Amino acid sequence: MRTGKILQQLQLLKTEQRSGFAVLADPDKMAAEDVPKLAKLCNEAGVDYLFIGGSLLLAHQMELCITRFKENSDIPVVLFPGNPAQVSPLADALLYLSLISGRNADLLIGQHVVSAPLVKASGLEVISTGYILIDGGVQTTVSYMSHSMPIPANKPEIALCTAWAGEMQGNHVIYMDAGSGAKNSISTGMIKKVSENVDIPLFIGGGISTPEKVRENCQAGANIIVVGNAIERDAMLIKDLAQATRG
C-alpha cells in the first residue's frame, strides 16, 4: 500500500522527535452550523489535523460536518471511525483502526472485511492504526461499545508488548487512548516506555485537558496529542492546547 502525504508527515514527526495536535470532533455532539466557528478556532491555533468520528454517528451528519469544515479550513480531515459505515471520500485520510489491546475478533478484522469495499473505493489515504485502550479510571464509551477490557494503567510493559505486536504486524501508527471521558490520562511513564521502543508514530488521547498535561505527554514522546472532550466543554482551549505541543 502506498505511503500517503499525511503518513509521511507523521513519520517525520517521529523522526524529528516533534509533536502535533489533533482536534477530535464527534458530529453527534455538534451542530453543523457550529462547524465554521470550530474551523476558525483551529486555523488560528495552528491545529495540525481534525479527526472526525464517533461511536454512534450518522453518515450524512458526518459528511455535512466534513464539508462545512473544508469550506472554512485547509487543515487535513482524518476519519476516526467507530463503525464500518463511517467512511467518506470527502475526508483526506482514514485511521484504519484495529483494537489490538482487546480480544474482540470483530474489531481486529471482522469490521475491516465489511468496510474494505467502501474503503477501497473511497480513494482515501489509509493509515493502518494499532489502537490500544488504556484504563482511564472509568468505563468509557470505547470500552463499552467494543466489549473489551483496557490495559491496566500501571502495566506499561503490557502496553509496550501490544505496541510491538502492532508494529511487527505492519501497523503504520500506534494510538494509545484512555477513551472519551476518561478520569485519568495515560501516564507519562507508559508513553515514554512505548515511544522509546517503537519506530512508528505514537498518538495519545483521553483525559487530556490542560496545556501542562499536553507538554508532559509531548516530552514523554507523544507525536500526536488528540483532544476531544475537553474541547467540547470549552472550545477556547484549542489555542492553548495546540501551542503546548510546540514547547
Side-chain angles (χ1 to χ4, degrees):
M1 185 177 293
R2 66 183 177 85
T3 301
K5 180 175 69 174
I6 292 176
L7 180 56
Q8 290 174 352
Q9 293 169 354
L10 296 170
Q11 291 170 335
L12 188 61
L13 288 176
K14 178 67 175 180
T15 300
E16 297 181 351
Q17 297 183 332
R18 294 187 293 112
S19 303
F21 186 73
V23 169
L24 174 58
D26 184 342
D28 277 343
K29 299 179 181 179
M30 63 188 302
E33 56 267 24
D34 293 333
V35 174
K37 179 182 177 181
L38 174 64
K40 183 174 185 292
L41 290 172
C42 290
N43 293 338
E44 293 173 348
V47 168
D48 296 286
Y49 304 102
L50 178 76
F51 288 0
I52 188 164
S55 298
L56 300 171
L57 64 86
L58 301 174
H60 71 273
Q61 177 74 2
M62 180 181 73
E63 294 200 329
L64 179 58
C65 288
I66 294 172
T67 299
R68 292 284 175 84
F69 188 85
K70 283 183 159 294
E71 288 171 349
N72 293 275
S73 179
D74 294 325
I75 295 170
V77 176
V78 180
L79 298 177
F80 179 59
N83 63 58
Q86 292 175 29
V87 177
S88 170
L90 299 178
D92 298 291
L94 166 73
L95 298 182
Y96 212 36
L97 302 168
S98 290
L99 184 61
I100 60 175
S101 61
R103 299 296 180 265
N104 184 338
D106 199 38
L107 298 178
L108 283 169
I109 187 61
Q111 291 195 2
H112 305 74
V113 174
V114 173
S115 65
L118 290 173
V119 173
K120 193 73 174 175
S122 70
L124 289 165
E125 177 182 349
V126 178
I127 300 173
S128 175
T129 303
Y131 189 63
I132 300 176
L133 190 59
I134 308 296
D135 186 5
V138 294
Q139 186 180 48
T140 61
T141 302
V142 175
S143 177
Y144 179 81
M145 296 297 290
S146 64
H147 305 288
S148 65
M149 292 181 60
I151 291 175
N154 63 344
K155 299 293 183 182
E157 67 279 2
I158 298 179
L160 175 58
C161 290
T162 304
W164 270 339
E167 181 178 33
M168 289 187 286
Q169 285 186 325
N171 289 148
H172 298 138
V173 303
I174 294 295
Y175 189 147
M176 293 203 305
D177 193 3
S180 176
K183 180 180 178 181
N184 305 316
S185 59
I186 299 169
S187 72
T188 53
M190 181 178 283
I191 295 170
K192 184 177 176 67
K193 182 100 172 169
V194 173
S195 176
E196 289 182 346
N197 290 284
V198 298
D199 296 322
I200 56 179
L202 176 63
F203 297 4
I204 299 294
I208 302 169
S209 59
T210 66
E212 291 74 24
K213 181 59 67 176
V214 170
R215 279 190 286 270
E216 288 174 5
N217 288 356
C218 292
Q219 290 166 3
N223 300 115
I224 293 291
I225 300 294
V226 186
V227 179
N229 260 36
I231 289 169
E232 289 169 9
R233 294 192 298 269
D234 181 7
M236 301 309 292
L237 281 172
I238 292 175
K239 183 177 181 180
D240 290 342
L241 297 179
Q243 288 181 343
T245 64
R246 298 187 278 275

